[in-house]
C-alpha cells in the first residue's frame, strides 16, 4: 500500500523536523541523520525510539531506491 503523496509532503522527521525520503512499502528515511523509520501495515511509525541507524552500504541502497 503506497502512502499518499500529499501526506508525504507534510511528514517530517521527529528528530530534526526535516523532510524524509520514501522507499515504498518499506521505510521512511532521514539521510541527514542516517536513520530509518519503519512502515507497518501501511502506516509510517515516526517515533524516535523506533528509528534504526543505517550504515553506509544501506544508506546508498536507500538513496538509490527512494522516491524523491
Amino acid at each position: 500500500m503506497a502512502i499518499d503523496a500529499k501526506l508525504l509532503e507534510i511528514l517530517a522527521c521527529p528528530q530534526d523536523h526535516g523532510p524524509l525520503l520514501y522507499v515504498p512499502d518499506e521505510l521512511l528515511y532521514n539521510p541527514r541523520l542516517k536513520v530509518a523509520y519503519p512502515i507497518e501495515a501501511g502506516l509510517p511509525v515516526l517515533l524516535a525510539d523506533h528509528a534504526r541507524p543505517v550504515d553506509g552500504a544501506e544508506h546508498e541502497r536507500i538513496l538509490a531506491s527512494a522516491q524523491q
Side-chain angles (χ1 to χ4, degrees), residues 15-64:
Q15 297 180 62
D16 73 358
H17 309 289
L20 297 164
L21 299 178
Y22 174 52
V23 178
D25 300 320
E26 186 179 348
L27 55 86
L28 290 167
Y29 182 59
N30 180 333
R32 298 167 306 285
L33 301 178
K34 293 187 178 177
V35 294
Y37 296 92
I39 297 174
E40 297 176 1
L43 301 172
V45 181
L46 293 176
L47 301 170
D49 61 339
H50 281 73
R52 65 175 175 78
V54 169
D55 65 20
E58 186 178 12
H59 171 80
E60 294 302 322
R61 181 195 66 81
I62 291 171
L63 291 180

